[in-house]
Amino acid sequence: MSAAQVARSEWVAAAMGALAEAGYRRGGARSAVVRVLSEQPCALSAVEIGELLARREHEVSRASIYRVLEELERLGLAQRVEVGQGIVRHEAAGPGAGHHDHLLCERCGRLQPFHDERLERAIARLSGGLGMVVSEHEVVIRGDCASCVSVDRN
Amino acid sequence: MSAAQVARSEWVAAAMGALAEAGYRRGGARSAVVRVLSEQPCALSAVEIGELLARREHEVSRASIYRVLEELERLGLAQRVEVGQGIVRHEAAGPGAGHHDHLLCERCGRLQPFHDERLERAIARLSGGLGMVVSEHEVVIRGDCASCVSVDRN
DNA sequence: GTTCCTGCAAAAGATTTGCAGTGAC
DNA sequence: GTCACTGCAAATCTTTTGCAGGAAC
């Protein structure tokens, strides 16, 4: 099991624990959404989550997906990532989920995670002086990804 | 006239020029939207732009606002800022508009601009090594703003 | 006069809500 | 047995599109 997989299974445990502690019971839709989120490298839209679930486990209603995502976000276990096309994407967040930021290709729409220590330090330092209780941050870098640019050259 | 106001009027001129150069004529809705954007310190939603215009100039149809914003974004004169509630906000961007990043209060929903040189440098340095042609970036820091926190203390 | 710009109305999506049945505890 | 969870259908809201009249050039 890779380090990332271990971290992800820790996130599943943490998420289920936090949900239980908040008085939620563990219905099928809820754990299915948690499981799907834990396996993704990057953010998914509610529709994509629904499609994945339909394909790999069993159909879960769109409304339930939205409700579960809302709960997870309220508890700080998931994070909204809003980037392009008016669609909201969601990904695992909080303890065990591993923070990352995002690269968005403006041509193909692909969203990729990345991480940079220097950037994180700059934000941490900055956060101290804002007069605001900072809970999280998000960086989106937009441009044309390598594969789109190389297609262009042909 | 303050430095910011000068910059903003430069942006209006640049935007109108770029639009003209791209073959657009100057209809009422288009210049009204450009003017409203130029006066705002931070991003507005299409609905908010419509309300401001209705109050201060004259009613502009929602569809036209969306069309103008789309043109401006295609020309790099405006930028989408997507942050919470599935609503897309828009703000002036490009030459004369002054880049800034965003602070979002998760309690009151207020969006404020901020700028930090160290952060910009970290992102510029990072962008070089991504294997991607970077066109812009956006940083959103979320948390509870000073006024919301002080309300809490009372 | 031609071509572009706008507003209106309808359409298309995404997200939320109300309600009744089912399942967890 | 009670209360929470889920699915379904309807409602809401934002954004997009088609079309006809009006305005810029």
Side-chain angles (χ1 to χ4, degrees):
Chain A
M1 208 185 228
S2 77
Q5 282 173 322
V6 171
R8 286 324 177 87
S9 69
E10 274 171 19
W11 178 81
V12 172
M16 294 312 253
L19 284 166
E21 199 150 325
Y24 293 109
R25 299 176 181 176
R26 53 192 256 253
R30 184 168 295 141
S31 18
V33 171
V34 168
R35 216 167 321 122
V36 167
L37 280 187
S38 79
E39 294 162 7
Q40 298 307 314
C42 209
L44 295 177
S45 69
V47 176
E48 289 165 340
I49 293 173
E51 285 168 355
L52 266 178
L53 282 173
R55 201 174 320 137
R56 298 181 8 196
E57 317 217 352
H58 58 77
E59 200 109 349
V60 170
S61 113
R62 191 75 47 93
S64 297
I65 295 174
Y66 282 112
R67 277 186 287 235
V68 171
L69 289 171
E70 190 197 323
E71 292 160 10
L72 290 173
E73 272 144 29
R74 189 144 22 84
L75 294 174
L77 297 165
Q79 186 175 176
R80 302 166 71 95
V81 178
E82 301 177 45
V83 359
Q85 307 101 45
I87 299 171
V88 183
R89 273 169 242 273
H90 309 261
E91 66 185 17
H99 170 75
H100 61 254
D101 293 309
H102 295 103
L103 302 178
L104 175 69
C105 176
E106 293 183 310
R107 297 217 214 159
C108 63
R110 197 154 55 103
L111 191 64
Q112 291 177 73
F114 80 93
H115 187 82
D116 182 77
E117 259 319 312
R118 199 194 300 267
L119 178 58
E120 296 301 319
R121 278 199 302 273
I123 291 177
R125 190 174 326 206
L126 161 68
S127 297
L130 287 175
M132 174 173 192
V133 181
V134 173
S135 60
E136 64 193 19
H137 68 262
E138 186 187 326
V139 179
V140 179
I141 294 185
R142 296 167 205 260
D144 298 336
C145 73
S147 28
C148 284
V149 170
S150 73
V151 165
D152 218 35
R153 288 218 187 82
N154 300 336
Chain B
M1 208 185 229
S2 77
Q5 283 172 322
V6 170
R8 286 323 178 88
S9 68
E10 273 171 20
W11 179 80
V12 172
M16 293 313 252
L19 284 166
E21 200 149 325
Y24 293 110
R25 299 176 181 175
R26 54 191 255 253
R30 186 169 293 143
S31 17
V33 171
V34 168
R35 216 167 320 120
V36 166
L37 280 187
S38 79
E39 294 162 6
Q40 297 307 315
C42 209
L44 295 177
S45 69
V47 176
E48 288 165 342
I49 292 173
E51 285 168 355
L52 266 177
L53 282 172
R55 201 174 319 139
R56 298 181 10 195
E57 317 216 352
H58 58 75
E59 200 108 350
V60 170
S61 110
R62 190 77 45 96
S64 296
I65 295 174
Y66 282 111
R67 277 186 287 235
V68 172
L69 289 171
E70 190 195 323
E71 291 160 11
L72 290 173
E73 273 145 27
R74 187 141 24 82
L75 295 174
L77 296 164
Q79 186 178 177
R80 303 167 70 96
V81 177
E82 302 177 45
V83 74
Q85 308 100 47
I87 299 171
V88 182
R89 274 168 241 274
H90 309 261
E91 66 185 15
H99 170 75
H100 61 254
D101 293 309
H102 296 101
L103 302 177
L104 174 70
C105 176
E106 294 184 308
R107 296 217 215 157
C108 63
R110 196 154 55 105
L111 192 64
Q112 292 177 73
F114 79 93
H115 187 83
D116 182 76
E117 259 319 311
R118 198 194 302 266
L119 177 58
E120 295 302 318
R121 277 199 303 273
I123 291 176
R125 189 175 326 207
L126 161 66
S127 297
L130 288 175
M132 173 174 193
V133 182
V134 173
S135 60
E136 64 192 21
H137 67 263
E138 186 189 323
V139 179
V140 179
I141 295 185
R142 297 166 203 258
D144 299 337
C145 73
S147 28
C148 284
V149 170
S150 73
V151 164
D152 217 36
R153 288 218 188 81
N154 298 335

